Amino acid sequence: MPDAPKGFAEMERYSNIKRLWDWLEGLHSQGYEVRVPKRGSLEHCRREVVGITKTGAGGLLDTSALMEKLGKDDDAILQAFSLEPEALAAVNALLEGDKSGVVALLNRDYRMVFAIQLCFTARRELLLKADSSYEAYADRLPIFPVSWNLKPVRWRRDDYRQLLDKAARGTLTP
């Protein structure tokens, strides 16, 4: 890439392109889809990785964002009253400071899904654009309303580096 695209964070300032291709090759060999992003060019060193997921990640929920939503959004408050009893009890406990019930439900019914793009610039910068969210398993109905848009805490670049390393080696538990 001639310049750093907008919305990308720096993974390594002065990197070797081999690291990017090692990750992409490892991810592809582990069954993850590696593709050129929409509106991207095949000639540019920019790729999107699809299919990285993590189970048992309920403890990574950004509970403060959820509590803020429940405290300010009238629709979210009304939706909370129509939750299943188990989910309602977990949300009430969360509002009282105990997140263990919500974490347990997320661990049971949801997985964390990642949207990751990697690129390499002409200045030898290895960059990352990543997002993650919770998604209910396909065989289960979401126990929490989809409009709550459950998000995990913000990850650091070292966390993403470790995630990519494990996924590329096949040691990530999906």
Side-chain angles (χ1 to χ4, degrees), residues 117-134:
Q117 286 188 34
L118 295 165
C119 79
F120 193 81
T121 69
R123 287 192 259 163
R124 298 179 63 114
E125 298 165 308
L126 180 58
L127 304 176
L128 168 92
K129 182 177 183 179
D131 190 30
S132 55
S133 61
Y134 290 96

Side-chain angles (χ1 to χ4, degrees), residues 94-150:
L94 175 67
L95 294 173
E96 293 173 1
D98 179 16
K99 68 178 190 175
S100 63
V102 171
V103 168
L105 291 175
L106 285 175
N107 285 341
R108 184 188 76 191
D109 293 341
Y110 291 77
R111 63 184 178 159
M112 193 183 305
V113 177
F114 295 90
I116 295 178
Q117 286 188 34
L118 295 165
C119 79
F120 193 81
T121 69
R123 287 192 259 163
R124 298 179 63 114
E125 298 165 308
L126 180 58
L127 304 176
L128 168 92
K129 182 177 183 179
D131 190 30
S132 55
S133 61
Y134 290 96
E135 180 181 280
Y137 288 109
D139 61 341
R140 300 179 192 154
L141 290 173
I143 195 160
F144 298 113
V146 176
S147 64
W148 286 11
N149 194 21
L150 302 171

